[in-house]
Amino acid sequence: MATTRQAHTVWEGNLIEGKGVVSLDSSGIGEYPVSWPARSEQANGKTSPEELIAAAHSSCFSMALSHGLAGAGTPPTKLETKADVTFQPGTGITGVHLTVVGEVPGLDEASFVKAAEDAKANCPVSQALSGTTITLSASLA
């Protein structure tokens, strides 16, 4: 069964001086301030589209990797994934770098890296972001 999730943003003002609030509607877990300076300079307590993409990508990748490892008979004890989404004003999103450290009993480093590469290629968020370069660093704890 397909699912659809919703979020919405209310924006006031122009790009440079304006501000907005993004609301995570499906979960109802909160509203988060967003602004151009938070996107192109320092976060200063506000979020950005890139941070939200990083959250989506790190969680999706972790789920895909966990599923793949379990399906191969080596379920992980723990996966810690960080996603760095780079934004260049005037150009856009120029890349995503995933870093994952896993605790996977009975699995060697090469097999973990292979499973991580597969998850990177096949997680739905990676596929949605196929227009940008996605790189990966994977290691066992």
Side-chain angles (χ1 to χ4, degrees):
M1 172 163 73
T3 59
T4 302
R5 301 292 183 252
Q6 299 85 30
H8 80 276
T9 300
V10 176
W11 186 266
E12 297 173 346
N14 65 31
L15 174 63
I16 304 302
E17 298 163 358
K19 62 184 178 179
V21 175
V22 60
S23 299
L24 304 181
D25 299 333
S26 298
S27 63
I29 60 172
E31 295 181 336
Y32 303 92
V34 63
S35 70
W36 176 254
R39 187 176 196 185
S40 61
E41 298 168 16
Q42 295 297 316
N44 293 323
K46 296 178 176 66
T47 194
S48 68
E50 292 73 30
E51 184 178 34
L52 297 170
I53 289 169
H57 204 174
S58 66
S59 60
C60 183
F61 171 85
S62 294
M63 289 181 209
L65 180 54
S66 175
H67 181 68
L69 289 168
T74 53
T77 303
K78 181 180 179 181
L79 298 172
E80 187 170 333
T81 305
K82 179 175 78 164
D84 295 305
V85 177
T86 302
F87 174 74
Q88 177 64 48
T91 301
I93 294 173
T94 58
V96 178
H97 184 73
L98 298 169
T99 303
V100 61
V101 177
E103 295 176 15
V104 188
L107 193 66
D108 63 59
E109 187 94 13
S111 298
F112 180 72
V113 170
K114 185 176 184 298
E117 287 288 350
D118 185 63
K120 179 188 85 153
N122 294 302
C123 96
V125 173
S126 288
Q127 292 175 347
L129 298 174
S130 63
T132 193
T133 302
I134 303 170
T135 57
L136 173 69
S137 298
S139 62
L140 292 172

